[in-house]
Amino acid sequence: MEYAVLGVPPDGPSLTLDWQTFAYAGKFEMTNTGKAVLREAESVLAAAAFNGDREDDDQAWIRYLTVRSDRRGEGLGPRLVCNLRETLLELGYERIAIAVNNPIAYRALYRAGFGFTGQETGIAELVLTWPADRSGERYRAGLDRFTDRDLPEGQAQLLDRWIQDESPPEPMNGIP
């Protein structure tokens, strides 16, 4: 598996992903964001779009993160985010943020070293950052935000299990 940065803002490349295989595929066509991918034999397994914060030069945003539908659950999202975090730090950013709209993405970002800020966007996405408070209390506060939402059955079942467990997921190898 290979990690690659295809380009950085403001001259980000367009990346064409199959809309039946990748969520948010159309968002990767835009050229105002950088793109990073995990791939095998030139086949994209996961992709992320990113750019700098418009108001804070020290912060970058991961705007979109997607994993090929037949490879979900393999830890590819957190792996890509960990690699991208190192790239963004090398580019001079001190903080990285991402907004998520479902408990699966929320937990995956915790595995990648991110933590819930306590904030939501105007479209009810939870904002996570790196570095951040990764305490069990903060993790649980974020999970609890999803309990009143109309989630697909599979996500609702996972959320119930994770809330009962109460502990944050173990970080991936090599993540502080």
Side-chain angles (χ1 to χ4, degrees), residues 21 23 36 41 48 50-51 65 69-70 79 85 91 112 142 146 157 162:
T21 308
F50 61 92
N51 62 5
L65 176 65
S69 59
D70 64 337
R79 182 180 298 171
R85 180 187 68 218
L91 290 172
F146 290 108
Q157 290 172 349
W162 294 334

Side-chain angles (χ1 to χ4, degrees), residues 24-172:
Y24 307 111
K27 300 293 186 181
F28 289 85
E29 296 283 341
M30 299 183 309
T31 58
N32 64 338
T33 57
K35 310 291 185 310
V37 296
L38 282 180
R39 59 186 174 201
E40 281 181 339
E42 299 304 313
S43 178
V44 174
L45 305 178
F50 61 92
N51 62 5
D53 189 295
R54 290 181 207 108
E55 298 175 3
D56 182 350
D57 292 340
D58 293 329
Q59 181 166 284
W61 278 87
I62 300 173
R63 297 294 178 182
Y64 299 99
L65 176 65
T66 188
V67 175
R68 201 167 83 183
S69 59
D70 64 337
R71 299 293 297 265
R72 291 185 185 143
E74 296 179 26
L76 298 174
R79 182 180 298 171
L80 175 57
V81 168
C82 290
N83 283 301
L84 180 54
R85 180 187 68 218
E86 295 307 311
T87 297
L88 293 170
L89 292 172
E90 289 171 10
L91 290 172
Y93 295 103
E94 296 174 12
R95 292 176 307 285
I96 304 161
I98 186 170
V100 300
N101 62 7
N102 70 75
I104 294 171
Y106 178 82
R107 189 168 167 93
L109 269 290
Y110 253 83
R111 289 191 63 217
F114 284 64
F116 179 47
T117 63
Q119 300 174 331
E120 290 187 32
T121 67
I123 53 175
E125 296 173 319
L126 277 60
V127 178
L128 291 95
T129 59
W130 182 94
D133 175 356
R134 295 179 33 80
S135 67
E137 180 179 302
R138 182 58 65 104
Y139 171 72
R140 174 65 185 255
L143 276 184
D144 287 345
R145 300 267 179 110
F146 290 108
T147 58
D148 293 335
R149 298 187 183 183
D150 185 23
L151 299 171
E153 185 62 30
Q155 285 185 26
Q157 290 172 349
L158 287 171
L159 178 61
D160 288 343
R161 189 173 84 212
W162 294 334
I163 286 174
Q164 289 174 8
D165 180 31
E166 295 187 16
S167 59
E170 289 295 318
M172 294 184 71

